[in-house]
Amino acid sequence: MDLQQNNKILEVKNLKTYFFTDGGVVKAVDGVSFDLNVMETLGIVGETGSGKSVTALSILRLIKQPPGKIVEGEILFKGRNILDMNIKELQDFRGNRISMIFQDPMTSLNPVFTIGNQIMEAIIAHRNVDKKTAKQESLKLLEMVGIPDLKRRFNSYPHEFSGGMRQRAMIAMAIANSPNILIADEPTTALDVTIQAQILELMHELKEKTKSSIIIITHDLGVVAKYADRVMVMYAGKTVEFSDVDTIFYKPCHPYTLGLMKSITRLDEAKREHLKPIEGNPPSLIDLPRGCIFRVRCKYAIDKCKNILPPLLEIEKGHFTSCIRAEEFLSGSLKRKK
Amino acid sequence: MKDNNNRILEVKNLKKYFNLRSGFLSHRSAGSIKAVDDISFYIKKGETFGLVGESGCGKSTTSRVILRLTNPTSGQALYNGNDIFKMNNRQMFNTRRDIQIIFQDPYASLSPRMTVGDIIGEPLEIHRIGDKKIRRKKVKELLKTVGLNPEHINRYPHEFSGGQRQRIGIARALALTPKLILCDEPVSALDVSVQVQILNLMNSLQKEFDLTYLFIAHDLSVVKHVSNRVAVMYLGKIVEVAESKDLYEKPLHPYTMGLLSAVPIPDPEVERKRKRIILQGDVPSPISPPNGCRFNPRCPNAQEICSREEPELKKHAISSAEGHLAACFFAGKPI
């Protein structure tokens, strides 16, 4: 299908980003593959240290080198490998075609410049416009993201903004050059519940309006269920499952995804006496176990899992998973434990 | 008279204001932050009482005041009928054996220079329980109780993961066999799969040791799964309190409704059908809270009276549920 092919705006193939530290090589990202379609929202979920953020930073080549290094893989933006770009090309590209918003809006804004100043900077960096036009553009952007009392707020400093407003300003900056892809790394984790909902709704509206794509990194499966079209689940630096949101929630074929779904508390459910956790802890990324990385915590592990590191395979159309027993889950011959 | 004997803790008209100074060297007062502003609630023996609200609503301050880690501005906190705020040092020392606290951040709340054995053993040492050998044995038992390896008694906190550190914090809180444990966001710093491990542990400990919990959190779904009764706080006030089931199924206060609606449910099909109400605006500053009902500037149901008068926390005819109180003039009206 040609049309499907053209629809892909970003393709990440077998990405590996390692950090070379005194204590050993930390394999933060160790085999991540996914793709992103135009106007799609992709959710990346996983626990702390599973490599979600490093994946995002790798896409923008923001990995500090040394100690970090992208050692393998391809990141294709509209067919062009980002890893082959030179510095000049990269600077044109970042914040222009792909931009990013971070978890903590206070540390990602510069405290000594006004909000307006920082948004104007983003515009002037990428477009050949004078200050006056940039200012008008910035005001328009601030209005778009719902900042009240524009004229005054334009000249405010970040510390004068509340957490929610700061994140709105960050979004204004990120969309200043109407990028094709917006990467949001835990954009609402630092915010209160009611403000969270406001920000996520804003991002969703802007995506529809500008026909762009979003990669949202989160540990909140509620957010994923609400906004994501497709989901990638990561564990210990690897893609363990990747599919559309319904498959991930209702027919997961990797035991880790399965465990994750079982362990979440739901607001619309009666109180449960005993929740089902995934026992144990994630492995150290310096010293990964042999065979399948999830094996030691897996309820479905068999002898074969000790020796084989299962590759990420497409077990049905558009559904990728890296478990040697995935076919059994799919066919129903292996029952998912209650 | 209702029987109040089974109330382990009763908080009455508690206020905690933090004074603001107008400058770094100035002693002139520049108003105050009303962190907790006249709240009352009680906790029954053996239950888990949830306290939810957004950051800055005063939920953590409440727990700190109860333990007198900071002194209240006014009000009472009755522990088994005795006012904690009137106790002398001796009495307070004894009461602290019964009331323990678990903190949010398992990285900040454990001293990095002490071994796990010293951390858990310190409360025993302070209260002069047993000799060194007995204490060490007790610490090993505690480690086992919370699901850690007793062999690790000589390790330091940095050798443990976040979830394991929280287990150490729990073991420390359990050391003096307390009756009441104040849990201040005990799982919010942890990963989802680890959160559940800790919640299950707390649940089984509650049964085993007959504990009462005050469970403070901002995550409504977590609170729902652990609490028997829940109070919702907004800007230093309790706006609604009820049995957990009643609060989640039939919320009366528009803030509770908005809060519940804001939480996305991890189920794509449910989310597609669900209509969400998103509260607009930010939480106002507790230095100059709005007049009348504190929620009125953000409330979709607000009328003229709401900015003029402050609604009292009381029972409403619309809910027949026992002990379901809300502070709203239009309680139960959908938003």
Side-chain angles (χ1 to χ4, degrees), chain A residues 140-195:
Chain A
K140 231 191 274 170
L141 285 164
L142 284 173
E143 194 181 0
M144 246 168 108
V145 297
I147 302 255
D149 197 4
L150 281 181
K151 291 263 153 51
R152 194 166 64 82
R153 288 306 189 176
F154 185 84
N155 292 317
S156 299
Y157 288 89
H159 76 268
E160 298 173 87
F161 274 35
S162 69
M165 293 246 276
R166 276 180 215 142
Q167 202 57 295
R168 284 176 195 270
M170 278 294 298
I171 293 174
M173 222 175 286
I175 61 166
N177 299 302
S178 19
N180 301 92
I181 303 171
L182 181 66
I183 303 177
D185 188 359
E186 304 263 10
T188 59
T189 310
L191 305 175
D192 278 318
V193 190
T194 56
I195 311 298

Side-chain angles (χ1 to χ4, degrees), chain A residues 266-304:
Chain A
R266 284 176 60 155
L267 203 57
D268 63 339
E269 229 177 39
K271 185 179 168 180
R272 267 182 293 174
E273 258 313 288
H274 199 79
L275 298 156
K276 293 260 180 317
I278 304 175
E279 297 298 343
N281 290 296
S284 152
L285 296 173
I286 293 182
D287 186 21
L288 288 170
R290 235 161 58 85
C292 173
I293 39 164
F294 188 59
R295 172 174 53 89
V296 281
R297 298 175 77 186
C298 184
K299 282 182 189 160
Y300 305 89
I302 49 176
D303 270 352
K304 226 170 130 191

Side-chain angles (χ1 to χ4, degrees), chain A residues 139-331:
Chain A
L139 285 168
K140 231 191 274 170
L141 285 164
L142 284 173
E143 194 181 0
M144 246 168 108
V145 297
I147 302 255
D149 197 4
L150 281 181
K151 291 263 153 51
R152 194 166 64 82
R153 288 306 189 176
F154 185 84
N155 292 317
S156 299
Y157 288 89
H159 76 268
E160 298 173 87
F161 274 35
S162 69
M165 293 246 276
R166 276 180 215 142
Q167 202 57 295
R168 284 176 195 270
M170 278 294 298
I171 293 174
M173 222 175 286
I175 61 166
N177 299 302
S178 19
N180 301 92
I181 303 171
L182 181 66
I183 303 177
D185 188 359
E186 304 263 10
T188 59
T189 310
L191 305 175
D192 278 318
V193 190
T194 56
I195 311 298
Q196 246 177 41
Q198 291 174 5
I199 297 292
L200 289 168
E201 208 51 42
L202 171 71
M203 281 174 51
H204 185 68
E205 277 167 23
L206 290 172
K207 186 202 93 172
E208 301 282 300
K209 221 185 272 175
T210 58
K211 302 202 180 349
S212 53
S213 312
I214 294 182
I215 297 178
I216 183 163
I217 296 173
T218 179
H219 61 268
D220 187 336
L221 289 164
V223 170
V224 171
K226 169 85 186 154
Y227 295 103
D229 302 304
R230 286 194 294 162
V231 185
M232 172 167 78
V233 184
M234 289 186 68
Y235 183 78
K238 291 186 171 60
T239 303
V240 293
E241 194 154 14
F242 176 47
S243 191
D244 60 276
V245 66
D246 283 28
T247 305
I248 293 290
F249 276 83
Y250 305 126
K251 291 192 301 173
C253 286
H254 193 286
Y256 176 66
T257 316
L258 206 63
L260 212 55
M261 294 300 155
K262 294 257 184 288
S263 65
I264 38 180
T265 48
R266 284 176 60 155
L267 203 57
D268 63 339
E269 229 177 39
K271 185 179 168 180
R272 267 182 293 174
E273 258 313 288
H274 199 79
L275 298 156
K276 293 260 180 317
I278 304 175
E279 297 298 343
N281 290 296
S284 152
L285 296 173
I286 293 182
D287 186 21
L288 288 170
R290 235 161 58 85
C292 173
I293 39 164
F294 188 59
R295 172 174 53 89
V296 281
R297 298 175 77 186
C298 184
K299 282 182 189 160
Y300 305 89
I302 49 176
D303 270 352
K304 226 170 130 191
C305 301
K306 279 185 203 149
N307 306 315
I308 299 172
L309 177 64
L312 189 69
L313 294 176
E314 188 167 13
I315 53 166
E316 57 182 325
K317 198 176 165 12
H319 184 181
F320 298 82
T321 177
S322 62
C323 174
I324 51 169
R325 304 194 73 185
E327 297 279 354
E328 294 174 65
F329 281 119
L330 194 66
S331 67

Side-chain angles (χ1 to χ4, degrees), chain A residues 1-169:
Chain A
M1 289 241 286
D2 246 341
L3 203 111
Q4 195 97 58
Q5 218 47 159
N6 289 338
N7 214 7
K8 275 185 193 162
I9 189 148
L10 187 76
E11 248 182 297
V12 174
K13 290 181 184 168
N14 198 27
L15 179 71
K16 292 187 180 178
T17 305
Y18 294 173
F19 290 86
F20 298 87
T21 67
D22 293 342
V25 180
V26 180
K27 298 180 176 175
V29 172
D30 193 23
V32 164
S33 304
F34 64 92
D35 57 78
L36 178 72
N37 294 326
V38 176
M39 287 190 71
E40 181 181 52
T41 301
L42 171 76
I44 301 184
V45 296
E47 292 172 274
T48 316
S50 62
K52 311 184 293 273
S53 296
V54 177
T55 302
L57 293 172
S58 300
I59 293 171
L60 283 172
R61 280 182 54 192
L62 289 171
I63 299 294
K64 198 176 173 217
Q65 185 178 351
K69 193 171 185 227
I70 299 172
V71 294
E72 211 184 306
E74 277 182 298
I75 302 170
L76 305 174
F77 175 78
K78 290 185 175 170
R80 171 110 209 266
N81 193 350
I82 296 174
L83 300 180
D84 291 338
M85 288 182 181
N86 62 33
I87 291 295
K88 178 78 187 52
E89 288 171 304
L90 207 55
Q91 275 169 354
D92 278 345
F93 177 78
R94 285 182 191 142
N96 193 14
R97 304 292 24 111
I98 303 184
S99 60
M100 186 153 177
I101 50 179
F102 298 91
Q103 172 169 356
D104 185 350
M106 193 59 208
T107 50
S108 36
L109 289 166
N110 190 331
V112 299
F113 290 104
T114 62
I115 295 284
N117 211 316
Q118 295 185 54
I119 298 176
M120 276 168 66
E121 190 194 344
I123 296 172
I124 292 169
H126 290 288
R127 277 187 272 168
N128 195 8
V129 291
D130 59 28
K131 274 199 157 174
K132 214 177 135 200
T133 330
K135 183 169 178 180
Q136 277 166 354
E137 281 274 324
S138 310
L139 285 168
K140 231 191 274 170
L141 285 164
L142 284 173
E143 194 181 0
M144 246 168 108
V145 297
I147 302 255
D149 197 4
L150 281 181
K151 291 263 153 51
R152 194 166 64 82
R153 288 306 189 176
F154 185 84
N155 292 317
S156 299
Y157 288 89
H159 76 268
E160 298 173 87
F161 274 35
S162 69
M165 293 246 276
R166 276 180 215 142
Q167 202 57 295
R168 284 176 195 270

Side-chain angles (χ1 to χ4, degrees), chain A residues 46-48 162 164-165 168 192-198 201 219-223 225-227 245-246 249-250 260 263-281 297, chain B residues 54-55 161 164 191-194 196-197 199-200 203 207 218 220-222 224-228 248 255 258-260 262-272 274 276 278-283 298:
Chain A
E47 292 172 274
T48 316
S162 69
M165 293 246 276
R168 284 176 195 270
D192 278 318
V193 190
T194 56
I195 311 298
Q196 246 177 41
Q198 291 174 5
E201 208 51 42
H219 61 268
D220 187 336
L221 289 164
V223 170
K226 169 85 186 154
Y227 295 103
V245 66
D246 283 28
F249 276 83
Y250 305 126
L260 212 55
S263 65
I264 38 180
T265 48
R266 284 176 60 155
L267 203 57
D268 63 339
E269 229 177 39
K271 185 179 168 180
R272 267 182 293 174
E273 258 313 288
H274 199 79
L275 298 156
K276 293 260 180 317
I278 304 175
E279 297 298 343
N281 290 296
R297 298 175 77 186
Chain B
E54 299 181 277
S55 51
S161 69
Q164 289 171 322
D191 276 317
V192 188
S193 67
V194 182
V196 176
Q197 294 176 7
L199 293 175
N200 281 341
N203 188 19
K207 288 195 185 115
H218 68 274
L220 289 141
S221 39
V222 167
K224 179 174 182 181
H225 279 277
V226 299
S227 307
N228 304 96
Y248 283 90
Y255 177 62
L259 213 51
L260 290 174
V263 182
I265 290 166
D267 188 330
E269 257 171 40
V270 172
E271 269 305 325
R272 264 171 230 139
R274 193 165 165 243
R276 289 209 294 169
I278 294 175
L279 292 174
Q280 298 305 317
D282 271 326
V283 183
R298 294 179 79 194

